[in-house]
Amino acid sequence: TNILVRREDRVGVVQLNRPQARNALNAALMAELIAALQAFDADSEIGCIVITGSEAAFAAGADIKQMAEASVIDMIDSPFIGYWDELRRITKPVVAAVSGWCLGGGCELAMACDLILAAESAVFGQPEINLGVIPGAGGTQRLTLAVGKALAMEMVLNGRTLSAEEALRAGLINRVYPVEVYLEEAIRLANAIAARAPVAVRLAKEAVNASFEMSLRAGLDHERRLFYLLFSTDDQKEGMDAFINKRPAHWRGQ
Ligand code: CAA
């Protein structure tokens, strides 16, 4: 009940739907979101996933009202922050389509996706310092990797927010569109990715994401093994034969 789920051709769309709370991320919403993503990940008709919010808010962060009275033991025992880790286990590409507020855990959710497309109205930030805490779902790490130490420190230490244009210039997001078309454009991009060789797409995502977690040597070795592995797929034979014979390729995902 906290999300809306639909299909647009080969794209699974999950819309966060707590407008009365600016899509604040509570435990129920996160559980529903992860279940929907896992269902799309297991669905062979789906090639790419889009997570979006409303025009006013992608998500205004973790639900402060749900956390306010928690003890440290409550936080440790809760599966809540672990839901952001579950996103890392989704094997199909995930696109965040962001409009309005994208703060705290909402910004961390967008950064856990593979691509971020934004409306001109989007505002990105990690304002946890204003609550006496710090980002807890990856913000200090993923933001720093994306925008560098200087800007990340300003955002995390002083609550600086970024407009969509600033986020684009800083390398946090992929593209900016007028608010009327940002979601349509995100779904268009997702469908374009979904039309590509499915196994190669999944391994490409895995290889790029591995660069954040491995040394260069280990990452290069990992990439090479995935590259070799693709020579066991029909799609590799099909793609190369289609190129040589100047015809479009027909992917089978095998
Ligand atoms: N948690 C719970 N409720 C929230 C919320 C949040 N993160 N953000 C907004 N809401 C609620 C408000 O309490 C308000 O509810 P009521 O109508 O019951 O009072 C409703 O949503 C509308 O909010 P506003 O009236 O404040 O709307 P606005 O348009 O004036 O401002 C806003 C929007 C700038 C996003 C503002 O609501 C805001 O600053 N929200 C908090 C942002 C924040 O601090 N996020 C970090 C959360 S901590 C976190 O995310 C930890 C982590 O790393 C995992």
Side-chain angles (χ1 to χ4, degrees):
T1 55
N2 295 291
I3 59 169
L4 302 171
V5 177
R6 67 178 196 274
R7 288 155 188 269
E8 299 262 353
D9 301 321
R10 298 203 63 232
V11 173
V13 181
V14 185
Q15 183 176 2
L16 312 180
N17 188 36
R18 290 188 75 210
Q20 73 286 2
R22 303 287 184 272
N23 286 335
L25 306 168
N26 63 15
L29 183 153
M30 288 304 292
E32 289 174 35
L33 170 63
I34 297 303
L37 295 178
Q38 288 171 342
F40 281 141
D41 210 27
D43 184 337
S44 61
E45 299 297 309
I46 295 293
C48 192
I49 302 167
V50 171
I51 303 178
T52 194
S54 66
E55 262 184 42
F58 177 73
D63 191 314
I64 299 167
K65 292 168 188 168
Q66 198 169 60
M67 285 185 303
E69 299 302 325
S71 69
V72 63
I73 303 296
D74 294 335
M75 292 305 287
I76 291 169
D77 282 350
S78 162
F80 186 60
I81 294 292
Y83 287 129
W84 276 258
D85 287 338
E86 295 293 330
L87 251 141
R88 286 167 53 220
R89 288 185 257 282
I90 301 298
T91 63
K92 292 174 186 169
V94 184
V95 180
V98 175
S99 175
W101 301 111
C102 185
L103 301 176
C107 191
E108 291 166 309
L109 177 61
M111 290 190 294
C113 297
D114 302 305
L115 299 137
I116 306 177
L117 268 59
E120 287 160 349
S121 63
V123 178
F124 297 85
Q126 297 289 160
E128 288 88 345
I129 200 75
N130 299 330
L131 303 168
V133 291
I134 67 171
T140 62
Q141 306 303 298
R142 288 203 174 95
L143 183 66
T144 309
L145 283 168
V147 306
K149 175 178 167 179
L151 193 47
M153 281 293 189
E154 264 197 81
M155 294 174 73
V156 172
L157 293 178
N158 205 28
R160 174 173 169 186
T161 56
L162 299 183
S163 67
E165 275 304 327
E166 288 173 314
L168 183 67
R169 276 201 301 277
L172 181 61
I173 67 175
N174 293 82
R175 300 187 202 176
V176 180
Y177 292 102
V179 68
E180 298 77 25
V181 297
Y182 80 100
L183 181 55
E184 191 183 314
E185 291 292 343
I187 293 170
R188 189 199 308 275
L189 175 64
N191 259 314
I193 294 169
R196 298 186 178 279
V199 184
V201 163
R202 287 165 109 147
L203 297 193
K205 164 175 167 152
E206 180 183 331
V208 173
N209 282 335
S211 74
F212 296 110
E213 295 177 3
M214 287 181 175
S215 67
L216 179 60
R217 181 73 265 152
L220 290 169
D221 288 345
H222 185 64
E223 176 195 81
R224 192 171 311 174
R225 282 192 290 273
L226 296 180
F227 175 67
Y228 292 159
L229 183 63
L230 284 164
F231 283 74
S232 67
T233 64
D234 293 346
D235 283 349
Q236 173 268 326
K237 300 288 176 286
E238 166 66 8
M240 295 192 182
D241 185 71
F243 174 80
I244 291 165
N245 291 300
K246 303 186 189 305
R247 62 172 178 83
H250 299 290
W251 309 119
R252 297 176 54 227
Q254 288 171 16

